[in-house]
Structure formats: C-alpha cells, structure tokens
Amino acid sequence: MTVASHLAELVEKHRALERSIEEEMSRPHADDIRVADMKKKKLRLKEEIERLRTRKVSVH
C-alpha cells in the first residue's frame, strides 16, 4: 500500500466517523459515551493523516 492510498483510506474513515457522529448526535437520546469514543477515534485519524501528509511533503 502506498502512502497516498493509505492516506486516502484514512481520510475516508475520518469522513465516515464524522457522518456517524452527526447521525448519533441527531438522535433524541444520543449515547454520549459512544459519541465521545467516536470523536477520540476521529482525532487519532486526523493526527495520523497530518503525520502522513507532513511526511509525504518532506519526502518530496
């Protein structure tokens, strides 16, 4: 797997988590613990995306 394809996969996972968070929060009785867990995962993905983007830029 190339860095670019891995990056694209992470970006899509990040978007999917954002949609899941929005969906959960739109429910009348949103599960706050589930939302918090998803937000943590989303943040970890964002950090990994930024790390890969920085690495990709510095390589070129």
Side-chain angles (χ1 to χ4, degrees):
M1 178 180 286
T2 66
V3 173
S5 63
H6 184 57
L7 188 56
E9 182 180 316
L10 292 176
V11 169
E12 182 52 41
K13 286 181 180 181
H14 187 269
R15 286 185 189 130
L17 267 173
E18 178 63 30
R19 289 188 298 269
S20 295
I21 291 167
E22 289 173 2
E23 182 181 311
E24 183 64 33
M25 291 178 68
S26 71
R27 295 180 184 183
H29 300 289
D31 184 341
D32 293 335
I33 294 173
R34 184 166 186 252
V35 170
D37 286 342
M38 287 190 290
K39 285 183 175 183
K40 287 176 189 174
K41 287 178 186 176
K42 185 179 160 205
L43 179 59
R44 284 193 296 272
L45 283 171
K46 181 179 178 182
E47 290 169 345
E48 179 68 8
I49 290 166
E50 290 305 314
R51 187 184 68 76
L52 287 174
R53 283 184 176 155
T54 302
R55 187 176 108 189
K56 186 176 176 187
V57 169
S58 64
V59 170
H60 290 140

